Amino acid sequence: MRSASSSADFAPAGPFRKSSRSGGGPNCVELAPAAAGWVVRDSKQPNGPVLHLSHAAVAALVAR
């Protein structure tokens, strides 16, 4: 189900940070906070596509 959030709601509101589980390797994801949730990108492609995840989706992922 899509929400009514605009792309401005998912503009990064802080710096992207690499996962602490990445071990410093090249295959990492980075997350940045946004007003409506989190923005996720591939660290190898910082200008590439991003995923927009809600606060609830990230909380469920981290809880696993």
Side-chain angles (χ1 to χ4, degrees):
M1 182 165 125
R2 284 200 170 267
S3 69
S5 299
S6 73
S7 59
D9 293 334
F10 281 102
F16 278 90
R17 297 175 187 254
K18 282 189 181 182
S19 167
S20 62
R21 298 280 196 169
S22 68
N27 299 319
C28 307
V29 296
E30 298 176 323
L31 285 89
W38 292 86
V39 182
V40 182
R41 71 180 182 187
D42 182 345
S43 63
K44 295 182 304 295
Q45 297 182 337
N47 296 317
V50 297
L51 295 174
H52 299 150
L53 300 176
S54 69
H55 293 288
V58 172
L61 179 66
V62 172
R64 290 181 170 230

